[in-house]
mmCIF file of all heavy atoms in Angstrom:
data_model
loop_
_atom_site.group_PDB
_atom_site.id
_atom_site.type_symbol
_atom_site.label_atom_id
_atom_site.label_comp_id
_atom_site.label_asym_id
_atom_site.label_seq_id
_atom_site.Cartn_x
_atom_site.Cartn_y
_atom_site.Cartn_z
ATOM 1 N N TYR A 1 4.042 -9.798 74.430
ATOM 2 C CA TYR A 1 3.825 -11.020 75.202
ATOM 3 C C TYR A 1 2.701 -10.817 76.224
ATOM 4 O O TYR A 1 2.365 -9.685 76.588
ATOM 5 C CB TYR A 1 5.102 -11.416 75.946
ATOM 6 C CG TYR A 1 6.226 -11.882 75.054
ATOM 7 C CD1 TYR A 1 7.098 -10.972 74.471
ATOM 8 C CD2 TYR A 1 6.434 -13.240 74.802
ATOM 9 C CE1 TYR A 1 8.158 -11.392 73.658
ATOM 10 C CE2 TYR A 1 7.477 -13.674 73.998
ATOM 11 C CZ TYR A 1 8.330 -12.745 73.432
ATOM 12 O OH TYR A 1 9.367 -13.170 72.624
ATOM 13 N N ASN A 2 2.173 -11.942 76.722
ATOM 14 C CA ASN A 2 1.095 -11.887 77.706
ATOM 15 C C ASN A 2 1.424 -11.024 78.912
ATOM 16 O O ASN A 2 0.568 -10.309 79.437
ATOM 17 C CB ASN A 2 0.749 -13.295 78.202
ATOM 18 C CG ASN A 2 -0.120 -14.071 77.230
ATOM 19 O OD1 ASN A 2 0.256 -15.138 76.767
ATOM 20 N ND2 ASN A 2 -1.294 -13.536 76.912
ATOM 21 N N CYS A 3 2.675 -11.108 79.369
ATOM 22 C CA CYS A 3 3.068 -10.451 80.617
ATOM 23 C C CYS A 3 4.586 -10.491 80.676
ATOM 24 O O CYS A 3 5.214 -11.343 80.038
ATOM 25 C CB CYS A 3 2.452 -11.207 81.798
ATOM 26 S SG CYS A 3 3.079 -10.764 83.435
ATOM 27 N N ASP A 4 5.211 -9.575 81.429
ATOM 28 C CA ASP A 4 6.673 -9.619 81.463
ATOM 29 C C ASP A 4 7.196 -10.825 82.247
ATOM 30 O O ASP A 4 8.365 -11.173 82.143
ATOM 31 C CB ASP A 4 7.267 -8.306 81.980
ATOM 32 C CG ASP A 4 7.106 -8.092 83.466
ATOM 33 O OD1 ASP A 4 6.132 -8.611 84.031
ATOM 34 O OD2 ASP A 4 7.943 -7.397 84.056
ATOM 35 N N HIS A 5 6.313 -11.489 83.003
ATOM 36 C CA HIS A 5 6.694 -12.752 83.648
ATOM 37 C C HIS A 5 6.446 -13.949 82.737
ATOM 38 O O HIS A 5 6.727 -15.087 83.103
ATOM 39 C CB HIS A 5 5.930 -12.939 84.956
ATOM 40 C CG HIS A 5 6.417 -12.051 86.058
ATOM 41 N ND1 HIS A 5 7.647 -12.202 86.641
ATOM 42 C CD2 HIS A 5 5.837 -10.977 86.664
ATOM 43 C CE1 HIS A 5 7.808 -11.278 87.581
ATOM 44 N NE2 HIS A 5 6.732 -10.528 87.611
ATOM 45 N N TYR A 6 5.906 -13.694 81.565
ATOM 46 C CA TYR A 6 5.623 -14.764 80.604
ATOM 47 C C TYR A 6 6.240 -14.467 79.244
ATOM 48 O O TYR A 6 5.635 -14.711 78.209
ATOM 49 C CB TYR A 6 4.109 -14.970 80.467
ATOM 50 C CG TYR A 6 3.518 -15.804 81.581
ATOM 51 C CD1 TYR A 6 3.178 -15.233 82.801
ATOM 52 C CD2 TYR A 6 3.316 -17.172 81.423
ATOM 53 C CE1 TYR A 6 2.648 -15.997 83.835
ATOM 54 C CE2 TYR A 6 2.784 -17.943 82.440
ATOM 55 C CZ TYR A 6 2.454 -17.352 83.644
ATOM 56 O OH TYR A 6 1.930 -18.121 84.664
ATOM 57 N N VAL A 7 7.453 -13.935 79.278
ATOM 58 C CA VAL A 7 8.166 -13.722 78.012
ATOM 59 C C VAL A 7 8.851 -15.028 77.640
ATOM 60 O O VAL A 7 10.039 -15.250 77.865
ATOM 61 C CB VAL A 7 9.165 -12.549 78.118
ATOM 62 C CG1 VAL A 7 9.960 -12.383 76.825
ATOM 63 C CG2 VAL A 7 8.415 -11.252 78.426
ATOM 64 N N TYR A 8 8.033 -15.920 77.118
ATOM 65 C CA TYR A 8 8.457 -17.216 76.614
ATOM 66 C C TYR A 8 7.856 -17.371 75.217
ATOM 67 O O TYR A 8 6.789 -16.802 74.932
ATOM 68 C CB TYR A 8 7.960 -18.347 77.517
ATOM 69 C CG TYR A 8 8.518 -18.324 78.923
ATOM 70 C CD1 TYR A 8 7.824 -17.690 79.949
ATOM 71 C CD2 TYR A 8 9.733 -18.928 79.221
ATOM 72 C CE1 TYR A 8 8.327 -17.660 81.248
ATOM 73 C CE2 TYR A 8 10.244 -18.906 80.508
ATOM 74 C CZ TYR A 8 9.551 -18.272 81.519
ATOM 75 O OH TYR A 8 10.052 -18.244 82.790
ATOM 76 N N PRO A 9 8.505 -18.123 74.336
ATOM 77 C CA PRO A 9 7.994 -18.257 72.960
ATOM 78 C C PRO A 9 6.521 -18.646 72.870
ATOM 79 O O PRO A 9 5.791 -18.145 72.015
ATOM 80 C CB PRO A 9 8.902 -19.347 72.370
ATOM 81 C CG PRO A 9 10.184 -19.215 73.123
ATOM 82 C CD PRO A 9 9.780 -18.845 74.529
ATOM 83 N N GLN A 10 6.065 -19.514 73.766
ATOM 84 C CA GLN A 10 4.675 -19.974 73.701
ATOM 85 C C GLN A 10 3.674 -18.905 74.138
ATOM 86 O O GLN A 10 2.459 -19.086 73.977
ATOM 87 C CB GLN A 10 4.479 -21.238 74.542
ATOM 88 C CG GLN A 10 4.718 -21.085 76.036
ATOM 89 C CD GLN A 10 6.145 -21.402 76.441
ATOM 90 O OE1 GLN A 10 7.086 -21.053 75.727
ATOM 91 N NE2 GLN A 10 6.305 -22.064 77.576
ATOM 92 N N HIS A 11 4.159 -17.799 74.681
ATOM 93 C CA HIS A 11 3.269 -16.728 75.116
ATOM 94 C C HIS A 11 3.421 -15.462 74.277
ATOM 95 O O HIS A 11 2.979 -14.384 74.690
ATOM 96 C CB HIS A 11 3.500 -16.421 76.594
ATOM 97 C CG HIS A 11 3.019 -17.515 77.507
ATOM 98 N ND1 HIS A 11 1.690 -17.691 77.822
ATOM 99 C CD2 HIS A 11 3.697 -18.511 78.130
ATOM 100 C CE1 HIS A 11 1.563 -18.739 78.613
ATOM 101 N NE2 HIS A 11 2.763 -19.255 78.818
ATOM 102 N N LEU A 12 4.033 -15.591 73.114
ATOM 103 C CA LEU A 12 4.123 -14.468 72.177
ATOM 104 C C LEU A 12 2.775 -14.274 71.491
ATOM 105 O O LEU A 12 2.253 -15.185 70.854
ATOM 106 C CB LEU A 12 5.216 -14.744 71.141
ATOM 107 C CG LEU A 12 5.376 -13.717 70.018
ATOM 108 C CD1 LEU A 12 5.772 -12.354 70.577
ATOM 109 C CD2 LEU A 12 6.419 -14.197 69.004
ATOM 110 N N LEU A 13 2.198 -13.087 71.623
ATOM 111 C CA LEU A 13 0.867 -12.819 71.080
ATOM 112 C C LEU A 13 0.900 -12.235 69.671
ATOM 113 O O LEU A 13 -0.076 -12.351 68.923
ATOM 114 C CB LEU A 13 0.123 -11.845 72.002
ATOM 115 C CG LEU A 13 -0.216 -12.376 73.398
ATOM 116 C CD1 LEU A 13 -0.730 -11.245 74.278
ATOM 117 C CD2 LEU A 13 -1.244 -13.489 73.312
ATOM 118 N N GLY A 14 1.990 -11.595 69.317
ATOM 119 C CA GLY A 14 2.078 -10.962 68.005
ATOM 120 C C GLY A 14 3.151 -9.895 68.007
ATOM 121 O O GLY A 14 3.926 -9.770 68.953
ATOM 122 N N ASN A 15 3.197 -9.116 66.942
ATOM 123 C CA ASN A 15 4.158 -8.031 66.803
ATOM 124 C C ASN A 15 3.405 -6.798 66.317
ATOM 125 O O ASN A 15 2.571 -6.892 65.413
ATOM 126 C CB ASN A 15 5.259 -8.415 65.816
ATOM 127 C CG ASN A 15 6.358 -7.370 65.735
ATOM 128 O OD1 ASN A 15 6.169 -6.287 65.175
ATOM 129 N ND2 ASN A 15 7.519 -7.688 66.292
ATOM 130 N N ILE A 16 3.694 -5.654 66.921
ATOM 131 C CA ILE A 16 2.910 -4.455 66.622
ATOM 132 C C ILE A 16 3.097 -3.958 65.193
ATOM 133 O O ILE A 16 2.328 -3.123 64.726
ATOM 134 C CB ILE A 16 3.218 -3.318 67.615
ATOM 135 C CG1 ILE A 16 4.689 -2.869 67.516
ATOM 136 C CG2 ILE A 16 2.868 -3.733 69.034
ATOM 137 C CD1 ILE A 16 4.984 -1.608 68.323
ATOM 138 N N HIS A 17 4.094 -4.474 64.485
ATOM 139 C CA HIS A 17 4.245 -4.111 63.082
ATOM 140 C C HIS A 17 3.273 -4.887 62.198
ATOM 141 O O HIS A 17 3.112 -4.569 61.018
ATOM 142 C CB HIS A 17 5.688 -4.348 62.623
ATOM 143 C CG HIS A 17 6.672 -3.400 63.237
ATOM 144 N ND1 HIS A 17 6.697 -2.064 62.946
ATOM 145 C CD2 HIS A 17 7.670 -3.611 64.139
ATOM 146 C CE1 HIS A 17 7.669 -1.472 63.638
ATOM 147 N NE2 HIS A 17 8.271 -2.401 64.376
ATOM 148 N N HIS A 18 2.653 -5.903 62.765
ATOM 149 C CA HIS A 18 1.699 -6.724 62.015
ATOM 150 C C HIS A 18 0.311 -6.750 62.641
ATOM 151 O O HIS A 18 -0.686 -6.942 61.934
ATOM 152 C CB HIS A 18 2.221 -8.161 61.893
ATOM 153 C CG HIS A 18 3.636 -8.250 61.418
ATOM 154 N ND1 HIS A 18 4.024 -7.864 60.157
ATOM 155 C CD2 HIS A 18 4.771 -8.668 62.055
ATOM 156 C CE1 HIS A 18 5.339 -8.047 60.023
ATOM 157 N NE2 HIS A 18 5.803 -8.531 61.163
ATOM 158 N N ASP A 19 0.252 -6.600 63.964
ATOM 159 C CA ASP A 19 -1.022 -6.645 64.685
ATOM 160 C C ASP A 19 -1.088 -5.440 65.615
ATOM 161 O O ASP A 19 -0.112 -5.128 66.309
ATOM 162 C CB ASP A 19 -1.133 -7.924 65.520
ATOM 163 C CG ASP A 19 -0.836 -9.169 64.714
ATOM 164 O OD1 ASP A 19 -1.709 -9.587 63.945
ATOM 165 O OD2 ASP A 19 0.275 -9.710 64.863
ATOM 166 N N SER A 20 -2.223 -4.780 65.664
ATOM 167 C CA SER A 20 -2.345 -3.615 66.532
ATOM 168 C C SER A 20 -2.468 -4.043 67.992
ATOM 169 O O SER A 20 -2.963 -5.136 68.299
ATOM 170 C CB SER A 20 -3.558 -2.768 66.139
ATOM 171 O OG SER A 20 -4.762 -3.412 66.510
ATOM 172 N N ILE A 21 -2.035 -3.174 68.900
ATOM 173 C CA ILE A 21 -2.166 -3.445 70.330
ATOM 174 C C ILE A 21 -3.637 -3.615 70.694
ATOM 175 O O ILE A 21 -4.004 -4.490 71.486
ATOM 176 C CB ILE A 21 -1.524 -2.315 71.155
ATOM 177 C CG1 ILE A 21 -0.004 -2.306 70.949
ATOM 178 C CG2 ILE A 21 -1.860 -2.465 72.640
ATOM 179 C CD1 ILE A 21 0.705 -1.144 71.608
ATOM 180 N N ASP A 22 -4.490 -2.792 70.104
ATOM 181 C CA ASP A 22 -5.923 -2.883 70.381
ATOM 182 C C ASP A 22 -6.470 -4.252 69.980
ATOM 183 O O ASP A 22 -7.246 -4.875 70.720
ATOM 184 C CB ASP A 22 -6.661 -1.773 69.623
ATOM 185 C CG ASP A 22 -8.065 -1.541 70.164
ATOM 186 O OD1 ASP A 22 -8.303 -1.828 71.346
ATOM 187 O OD2 ASP A 22 -8.919 -1.081 69.396
ATOM 188 N N ALA A 23 -6.053 -4.736 68.811
ATOM 189 C CA ALA A 23 -6.523 -6.046 68.340
ATOM 190 C C ALA A 23 -5.996 -7.162 69.227
ATOM 191 O O ALA A 23 -6.726 -8.107 69.575
ATOM 192 C CB ALA A 23 -6.091 -6.265 66.895
ATOM 193 N N ILE A 24 -4.728 -7.090 69.606
ATOM 194 C CA ILE A 24 -4.146 -8.110 70.485
ATOM 195 C C ILE A 24 -4.834 -8.098 71.841
ATOM 196 O O ILE A 24 -5.114 -9.156 72.426
ATOM 197 C CB ILE A 24 -2.631 -7.889 70.635
ATOM 198 C CG1 ILE A 24 -1.925 -8.173 69.302
ATOM 199 C CG2 ILE A 24 -2.058 -8.776 71.741
ATOM 200 C CD1 ILE A 24 -0.438 -7.841 69.311
ATOM 201 N N ASN A 25 -5.140 -6.927 72.345
ATOM 202 C CA ASN A 25 -5.802 -6.800 73.639
ATOM 203 C C ASN A 25 -7.153 -7.501 73.651
ATOM 204 O O ASN A 25 -7.595 -8.014 74.684
ATOM 205 C CB ASN A 25 -5.980 -5.313 73.970
ATOM 206 C CG ASN A 25 -6.478 -5.084 75.387
ATOM 207 O OD1 ASN A 25 -6.102 -5.800 76.311
ATOM 208 N ND2 ASN A 25 -7.317 -4.077 75.562
ATOM 209 N N ASN A 26 -7.813 -7.525 72.513
ATOM 210 C CA ASN A 26 -9.121 -8.163 72.409
ATOM 211 C C ASN A 26 -9.078 -9.527 71.718
ATOM 212 O O ASN A 26 -10.110 -10.058 71.315
ATOM 213 C CB ASN A 26 -10.087 -7.230 71.669
ATOM 214 C CG ASN A 26 -10.528 -6.061 72.530
ATOM 215 O OD1 ASN A 26 -11.393 -6.193 73.376
ATOM 216 N ND2 ASN A 26 -9.893 -4.911 72.326
ATOM 217 N N SER A 27 -7.878 -10.076 71.593
ATOM 218 C CA SER A 27 -7.735 -11.375 70.943
ATOM 219 C C SER A 27 -8.154 -12.505 71.878
ATOM 220 O O SER A 27 -8.160 -12.364 73.106
ATOM 221 C CB SER A 27 -6.275 -11.596 70.517
ATOM 222 O OG SER A 27 -5.430 -11.717 71.654
ATOM 223 N N GLU A 28 -8.497 -13.628 71.295
ATOM 224 C CA GLU A 28 -8.882 -14.801 72.086
ATOM 225 C C GLU A 28 -7.739 -15.254 72.990
ATOM 226 O O GLU A 28 -7.963 -15.680 74.122
ATOM 227 C CB GLU A 28 -9.307 -15.940 71.160
ATOM 228 C CG GLU A 28 -10.640 -15.720 70.466
ATOM 229 C CD GLU A 28 -11.087 -16.951 69.686
ATOM 230 O OE1 GLU A 28 -10.463 -18.019 69.851
ATOM 231 O OE2 GLU A 28 -12.062 -16.844 68.926
ATOM 232 N N ALA A 29 -6.507 -15.159 72.479
ATOM 233 C CA ALA A 29 -5.352 -15.612 73.262
ATOM 234 C C ALA A 29 -5.172 -14.775 74.519
ATOM 235 O O ALA A 29 -4.913 -15.308 75.610
ATOM 236 C CB ALA A 29 -4.095 -15.551 72.400
ATOM 237 N N ALA A 30 -5.299 -13.452 74.391
ATOM 238 C CA ALA A 30 -5.146 -12.578 75.546
ATOM 239 C C ALA A 30 -6.258 -12.811 76.562
ATOM 240 O O ALA A 30 -6.015 -12.886 77.777
ATOM 241 C CB ALA A 30 -5.128 -11.114 75.110
ATOM 242 N N MET A 31 -7.465 -12.940 76.079
ATOM 243 C CA MET A 31 -8.599 -13.134 76.988
ATOM 244 C C MET A 31 -8.549 -14.496 77.668
ATOM 245 O O MET A 31 -8.870 -14.619 78.855
ATOM 246 C CB MET A 31 -9.908 -12.938 76.228
ATOM 247 C CG MET A 31 -10.162 -11.480 75.842
ATOM 248 S SD MET A 31 -11.803 -11.172 75.152
ATOM 249 C CE MET A 31 -11.592 -11.797 73.486
ATOM 250 N N ALA A 32 -8.120 -15.521 76.922
ATOM 251 C CA ALA A 32 -8.027 -16.863 77.506
ATOM 252 C C ALA A 32 -6.963 -16.906 78.598
ATOM 253 O O ALA A 32 -7.155 -17.536 79.649
ATOM 254 C CB ALA A 32 -7.712 -17.880 76.420
ATOM 255 N N PHE A 33 -5.836 -16.234 78.363
ATOM 256 C CA PHE A 33 -4.770 -16.196 79.359
ATOM 257 C C PHE A 33 -5.276 -15.548 80.648
ATOM 258 O O PHE A 33 -5.032 -16.043 81.755
ATOM 259 C CB PHE A 33 -3.578 -15.416 78.814
ATOM 260 C CG PHE A 33 -2.428 -15.287 79.776
ATOM 261 C CD1 PHE A 33 -1.466 -16.276 79.861
ATOM 262 C CD2 PHE A 33 -2.313 -14.171 80.605
ATOM 263 C CE1 PHE A 33 -0.398 -16.162 80.756
ATOM 264 C CE2 PHE A 33 -1.259 -14.046 81.502
ATOM 265 C CZ PHE A 33 -0.299 -15.048 81.573
ATOM 266 N N GLY A 34 -5.977 -14.435 80.506
ATOM 267 C CA GLY A 34 -6.474 -13.729 81.684
ATOM 268 C C GLY A 34 -7.556 -14.485 82.425
ATOM 269 O O GLY A 34 -7.576 -14.509 83.661
#
């Protein structure tokens, strides 16, 4: 999730079994949130 204060369904970025942490970190969703 984006942040532990944003553990809500709409802020789920992915799952590490399908998406790497590195990829999620550089995803549009993560960057837009920040």
Side-chain angles (χ1 to χ4, degrees):
Y1 291 85
N2 281 121
C3 168
D4 73 331
H5 286 292
Y6 279 83
V7 177
Y8 296 94
Q10 63 268 39
H11 290 282
L12 176 63
L13 294 170
N15 185 287
I16 63 171
H17 291 292
H18 311 294
D19 309 283
S20 72
I21 293 174
D22 197 26
I24 292 174
N25 188 37
N26 286 281
S27 67
E28 289 187 10
M31 289 188 282
F33 179 86

